[in-house]
Amino acid sequence: MDFSKLKGKIYLDKKFLDSNKAKIHILNHSLHFASSVFEGIRVYNKKILFLEDHLKRLINSSKIMKLNLNYSLNKLVSLNYQIIKKNKINDGYIRPLVFRSSHSMSPETEKCFTQLAIAAWKWKVLFGNESGIKLNLSRYPKLNSKIYPIEAKSSGSYQTSVISKIESQKKNFDDCLMLDLKGNVAETTACNIFWIKNDTVYTSRNHSILNGITRQAILEFCRIKKIKVKIGDFKKKHIMNSECVFVSGTAAEIQFVKSIDRYNFKKNDIFNKLKDCYQIIKKNPPEKISNIKKLIK
């Protein structure tokens, strides 16, 4: 899909513009210095899943990256619903983007102002492979919060992810597993990762990963369903010796992983329960993760 040819409307700087007119200059500061932040948000049945959680993270990411996003939460909620209505999105994806103007070509940003764009389009699941995806190990590590603002969903966070994804696909893998600087399991290029062993769900600590909204929802599923969870630092041999592996993300939803390099995995009852929980919230999407418990028993 060539997103430069996207039809419909895009919100940019307080106006809803035809998509082909929503443009910025080639000397845009964020394009050169990777200082933008964004969200990916799902729409199901004309309702926006976890909209409030996503927008709160967008606001927080903006603060972390020193972007002056002068929009209230309520205003952002309204704009997101307006964009899906104008583009007639029943099931799809929303991309809010906060970035700097073109008033500097150095790291200095005093004269730059902050801009907001919101686009929406019909989009299927990122992988959409029921039989499972194949991962290999990335040669690049994920950075940690001591040296990088990993908790912000920023464009700069994805530099090694893009390179790693290209290298994995050239080797006929769908994606890759990335480790942290100490060799512990982190995440994939754009998804959080979970694995199941002895009736327990395992996942990584937050210090080298983006704490995904879908990840948070899965942990809430586990709490409601009384599934044991362990969050910590785990070497790659721990995940390789597990029974079932899956990844999560707004674009990917919950995706089974059938192999990591030469290690193979199978779906199990816990995975199926979590997948069923996600299907329930797709039918009647809550705007907040805290509302999940009203839908799932």
Side-chain angles (χ1 to χ4, degrees):
M1 179 176 180
D2 183 352
F3 285 94
S4 70
K5 297 179 181 178
L6 189 69
K7 303 295 184 182
K9 300 290 185 180
I10 290 179
Y11 179 84
L12 177 63
D13 293 337
K14 301 183 179 181
K15 294 180 181 179
F16 289 96
L17 304 173
D18 291 339
S19 177
N20 62 356
K21 294 180 180 178
K23 298 179 180 181
I24 59 172
H25 197 275
I26 194 67
L27 296 180
N28 173 268
H29 187 275
S30 289
L31 178 62
H32 289 256
F33 291 95
S35 58
S36 63
V37 300
F38 64 96
E39 285 294 321
I41 313 174
R42 277 284 182 189
V43 182
Y44 300 110
N45 299 321
K46 298 181 182 179
K47 294 182 179 180
I48 306 175
L49 180 64
F50 304 141
L51 177 60
E52 188 169 318
D53 298 290
H54 279 285
L55 294 179
K56 284 181 177 179
R57 186 172 66 181
L58 182 71
I59 292 169
N60 188 52
S61 294
S62 298
K63 290 178 180 177
I64 292 169
M65 297 303 293
K66 314 301 183 187
L67 291 157
N68 299 315
L69 180 60
N70 294 317
Y71 287 78
S72 68
L73 178 62
N74 287 340
K75 180 62 175 177
L76 290 170
V77 167
S78 174
L79 288 172
N80 277 268
Y81 271 105
Q82 287 181 63
I83 200 73
I84 65 168
K85 185 176 181 179
K86 287 179 183 293
N87 289 312
K88 299 179 181 179
I89 305 294
N90 295 327
D91 297 282
Y93 192 81
I94 309 172
R95 172 56 55 86
L97 175 71
V98 184
F99 58 101
R100 287 191 172 91
S101 63
S102 303
H103 291 78
S104 173
M105 274 290 103
S106 76
E108 186 275 319
T109 62
E110 184 178 356
K111 294 183 180 180
C112 291
F113 60 86
T114 298
Q115 298 178 261
L116 170 68
I118 308 174
W121 59 89
K122 297 175 183 178
W123 206 25
K124 296 180 179 179
V125 180
L126 181 60
F127 297 106
N129 189 339
E130 283 298 318
S131 65
I133 59 173
K134 299 188 298 180
L135 308 180
N136 69 334
L137 283 175
S138 169
R139 64 188 176 99
Y140 288 103
K142 291 289 291 189
L143 302 180
N144 63 42
S145 56
K146 290 184 178 181
I147 59 176
Y148 192 84
I150 194 72
E151 64 271 26
K153 189 175 176 68
S154 67
S155 55
S157 301
Y158 288 86
Q159 292 172 343
T160 53
S161 292
V162 171
I163 297 169
S164 298
K165 181 91 170 185
I166 292 170
E167 292 182 348
S168 293
Q169 290 181 324
K170 283 184 177 179
K171 297 176 182 178
N172 294 319
F173 291 93
D174 299 291
D175 205 338
C176 61
L177 171 64
M178 304 181 78
L179 307 178
D180 69 14
L181 291 170
K182 293 184 178 180
N184 297 310
V185 175
E187 57 186 354
T188 66
T189 60
C191 294
N192 295 127
I193 194 162
F194 294 81
W195 57 103
I196 304 167
K197 186 176 182 179
N198 298 329
D199 296 324
T200 300
V201 173
Y202 293 84
T203 194
S204 316
R205 288 200 300 126
N206 291 355
H207 64 88
S208 290
I209 68 169
L210 181 71
N211 186 14
I213 303 298
T214 308
R215 175 184 186 270
Q216 295 172 47
I218 290 170
L219 294 176
E220 181 66 6
F221 294 160
C222 291
R223 189 190 68 78
I224 294 168
K225 293 293 185 180
K226 295 181 171 53
I227 298 169
K228 290 188 291 184
V229 173
K230 288 188 178 180
I231 301 172
D233 293 327
F234 303 98
K235 299 298 181 185
K236 65 179 181 180
K237 67 179 181 181
H238 195 277
I239 191 171
M240 300 303 192
N241 292 323
S242 63
E243 301 155 17
C244 178
V245 178
F246 62 95
V247 297
S248 70
T250 299
E253 299 181 349
I254 296 177
Q255 173 66 59
F256 172 63
V257 174
K258 65 181 176 184
S259 66
I260 305 176
D261 284 338
R262 61 186 178 85
Y263 294 87
N264 298 312
F265 311 100
K266 294 181 179 180
K267 297 178 183 178
N268 62 15
D269 289 342
I270 291 177
F271 170 81
N272 291 331
K273 283 182 182 179
L274 296 173
K275 187 88 170 179
D276 288 345
C277 287
Y278 194 87
Q279 294 303 313
I280 290 170
I281 64 170
K282 282 176 64 173
K283 293 177 182 178
N284 187 21
E287 287 199 348
K288 296 188 290 185
I289 291 171
S290 59
N291 291 338
I292 287 176
K293 58 187 176 183
K294 296 177 182 178
L295 301 173
I296 297 174
K297 298 178 181 179

